[in-house]
Amino acid sequence: MGVIPTVRHCFCGCCRLDTGCKILGLLGTIAGLVGIATLSVVIYFDGTRPDAEQFCKHWLDVPACHGGHAYAVVLGVLVMFLLICLLYTLVSILLVIGARKSNPTLLLPWLVWTAISIISSVVQNVAFFCTQEGTPKFLFMEIAQVLAALFLGCYFWVCVYSLRRELLGSGFGGRGYLST
């Protein structure tokens, strides 16, 4: 028996593991495509604004330490988010295919990506809370939201991990990425 717990059903017993993973992959794919479309439109239309540099300096409060290139900083961040959405969409599609074809190899990218996302989110939020000044009520609500998201992320990770363990235990031969 491994150290990581496993579950027999996804969504608190409402569906089988493979169905739950397909649903997670489909929702992730939809979210990724919405993110790609939104960021592409923002990058395109903000790049064509004649006052893009002034807009970034005034409304987004980008520090002057970037050599006065506020728009370049904002554009770099938007492109980074676009790449993250592309990767998220790709691993979500692989999750759907892996669950549909009963291929545990295709579940691995989603597991790795989600583990990295959870760890980076925890580090980011700890850094945010350590530097934040505010009323305890505000911080309590923020901490509750972060803990809820962390719990859901870990639960869904365990669901996909459980499907992978189940498929590996059933004797998957590893014949190829898209084989049945």
Side-chain angles (χ1 to χ4, degrees):
M1 177 164 259
V3 177
I4 300 174
T6 58
V7 293
R8 293 181 187 257
H9 299 283
C10 198
F11 296 112
C12 299
C14 292
C15 59
R16 296 185 340 229
L17 285 175
D18 61 335
T19 305
C21 289
K22 290 174 192 173
I23 292 170
L24 282 174
L26 182 63
L27 292 175
T29 302
I30 292 170
L33 291 174
V34 168
I36 290 168
T38 304
L39 287 167
S40 298
V41 167
V42 168
I43 289 170
Y44 176 76
F45 284 112
D46 279 351
T48 59
R49 287 177 65 115
D51 63 337
E53 186 75 27
Q54 291 78 20
F55 177 80
C56 291
K57 286 180 184 176
H58 183 266
W59 291 104
L60 300 178
D61 194 28
V62 176
C65 65
H66 298 292
H69 301 290
Y71 179 69
V73 172
V74 171
L75 182 63
V77 170
L78 290 174
V79 169
M80 179 188 66
F81 282 137
L82 181 63
L83 292 174
I84 289 171
C85 284
L86 286 168
L87 284 172
Y88 183 65
T89 304
L90 176 66
V91 298
S92 295
I93 291 170
L94 290 175
L95 176 63
V96 171
I97 294 171
R100 187 175 185 297
K101 300 270 188 185
S102 298
N103 188 335
T105 307
L106 294 177
L107 304 179
L108 194 57
W110 190 91
L111 288 169
V112 171
W113 181 262
T114 303
I116 291 170
S117 297
I118 289 171
I119 292 168
S120 65
S121 176
V122 168
V123 169
Q124 176 187 2
N125 284 301
V126 166
F128 173 76
F129 290 130
C130 288
T131 60
Q132 195 67 348
E133 294 180 18
T135 63
K137 181 180 177 184
F138 170 75
L139 290 178
F140 175 74
M141 293 303 293
E142 292 293 320
I143 291 172
Q145 290 174 354
V146 168
L147 289 177
L150 178 65
F151 173 76
L152 283 174
C154 289
Y155 174 73
F156 291 142
W157 190 92
V158 167
C159 288
V160 176
Y161 176 77
S162 298
L163 178 62
R164 178 173 161 75
R165 291 273 311 252
E166 181 180 296
L167 293 174
L168 288 172
S170 67
F172 173 77
R175 295 176 303 276
Y177 287 110
L178 298 176
S179 63
T180 56

